[in-house]
Amino acid sequence: MRFHVLTLFPEMVLQGLHTSILGRACEQGLIAIEAVNIRDYTKNKHKKVDDYPYGGGAGMLMQAQPVYDAYKAVEEKIAGLNKEKEGENELATANKISKPRVIYLTPQGSVFSQHMAEELAKEEDLIFLCGHYEGIDERVLEEIVTDYVSIGDYVLTGGELPAMVMIDAISRLVPEVLNNDVSAEFESFHEDLLEYPQYSRPEEWQGKKVPQVLLSGHHANIEKWRREQSIKRTKERRPDLYEKWKEKNK
Ligand code: 6GU
């Protein structure tokens, strides 16, 4: 799976994502993360990419031209990569080439979720458009964006952190990125429940003992205990999720 990030701060995105598990996934060729500097595409002789909004108001807007040209460059690159693959396996990829989804990170978008991550993980290429200043000229958004996504109801200074959050959540669903291939299924939000508490050695720490059932070796009892704990924890910490789960399990 390939991620293409259109941004004014490519080093921020690359540094953050070429670390730990995702860094290893890149080295193994399971995912690829490319950051494209929008400023490289401006036709302004001073390398300017922003200007005042028509009608007045606070702050500056990113202009349409550099954003559009950066997007076009990525789109052409993806078409080239798909052509290469087509040569390798003509029948499998013929007619399957479609335009990649373009995700604009904005507090005005649909709120990102595990479900959305699962859907997006099915794509071969994803383009993320990161805005800065007060946003981007609406006309280029209308032209290229397919999905408007927010990561929650608070305001950040730019789209880079949200793009990184999304790329992390999507990448760990790509086969083989996590070394433990069952763990992605049995965790928080699977089935709308939070994860149960976990314990490692020692058996006693600061007077606190590991729950006896976990030491029993009785797998059915352990499963039962974990499920009860998941339900209890969800009810306490996320009553909204608990209600959803209860509704589905009536
Ligand atoms: Cl996607 N962008 C910005 N700038 N702020 C946000 C956000 C996105 N999601 C939540 N806050």
Side-chain angles (χ1 to χ4, degrees):
M1 164 147 216
R2 299 180 297 230
F3 301 99
H4 312 265
V5 186
L6 304 174
T7 171
L8 290 174
F9 302 95
E11 64 294 337
M12 173 178 178
V13 173
L14 293 178
Q15 285 225 355
L17 294 175
H18 280 117
T19 308
S20 185
I21 292 171
L22 297 199
R24 196 189 57 202
C26 289
E27 281 167 19
Q28 292 175 325
L30 300 169
I31 58 168
I33 303 162
E34 170 199 40
V36 175
N37 193 339
I38 294 168
R39 196 177 298 280
D40 290 346
Y41 291 86
T42 179
K43 293 193 167 122
N44 179 281
K45 60 176 183 280
H46 305 292
K47 292 240 156 205
K48 206 165 77 85
V49 292
D50 62 330
D51 209 330
Y52 297 98
Y54 281 115
M60 304 286 271
L61 279 186
M62 281 168 70
Q63 292 167 283
Q65 177 273 316
V67 171
Y68 189 67
D69 289 359
Y71 160 75
K72 275 290 175 192
V74 169
E75 189 194 56
E76 277 163 30
K77 183 176 175 174
I78 293 169
L81 289 168
N82 286 340
K83 255 223 171 88
E84 245 173 65
K85 254 211 301 194
E86 197 179 10
E88 279 169 30
N89 187 354
E90 234 169 282
L91 285 175
T93 49
N95 304 322
K96 272 180 68 181
I97 296 170
S98 54
K99 280 208 165 184
R101 285 168 83 163
V102 179
I103 297 160
Y104 177 48
L105 291 314
T106 168
Q108 297 157 35
S110 318
V111 178
F112 187 53
S113 64
Q114 192 62 30
H115 174 73
M116 210 189 282
E118 284 161 15
E119 287 305 304
L120 292 171
K122 296 172 185 165
E123 302 285 329
E124 185 58 37
D125 287 277
L126 286 175
I127 302 177
F128 291 86
L129 172 58
C130 303
H132 253 267
Y133 313 115
E134 293 304 309
I136 302 182
D137 189 306
E138 190 70 20
R139 293 168 296 184
V140 69
L141 300 178
E142 286 174 4
E143 204 61 35
I144 70 175
V145 173
T146 60
D147 301 82
Y148 292 81
V149 181
S150 163
I151 62 163
D153 291 338
Y154 40 82
V155 182
L156 302 169
T157 55
E160 283 75 13
L161 286 170
M164 290 162 74
V165 165
M166 289 184 68
I167 291 168
D168 189 292
I170 295 164
S171 293
R172 60 190 291 294
L173 300 175
V174 171
E176 294 173 67
V177 168
L178 298 184
N179 28 23
N180 180 355
D181 53 18
V182 286
S183 65
E185 273 180 57
F186 286 94
E187 61 197 3
S188 293
F189 301 116
H190 176 63
E191 228 206 332
D192 292 321
L193 290 176
L194 301 183
E195 207 178 357
Y196 46 79
Q198 302 210 72
Y199 304 84
S200 185
R201 288 200 284 188
E203 268 187 48
E204 186 174 332
W205 178 79
Q206 296 205 356
K208 293 156 109 54
K209 291 200 169 88
V210 172
Q212 195 54 45
V213 61
L214 298 178
L215 309 174
S216 69
H218 192 304
H219 291 294
N221 283 354
I222 292 171
E223 281 311 302
K224 183 168 172 279
W225 181 86
R226 284 180 166 167
R227 186 164 177 81
E228 288 162 2
Q229 291 292 314
S230 278
I231 295 166
K232 177 169 175 273
R233 174 162 285 193
T234 308
K235 191 175 180 185
E236 283 166 10
R237 297 188 186 178
R238 289 293 305 273
D240 56 325
L241 279 186
Y242 176 73
E243 287 306 320
K244 205 164 128 192
W245 172 83
K246 230 176 40 179
E247 208 49 44
K248 276 194 197 164
N249 290 274
K250 265 217 280 236

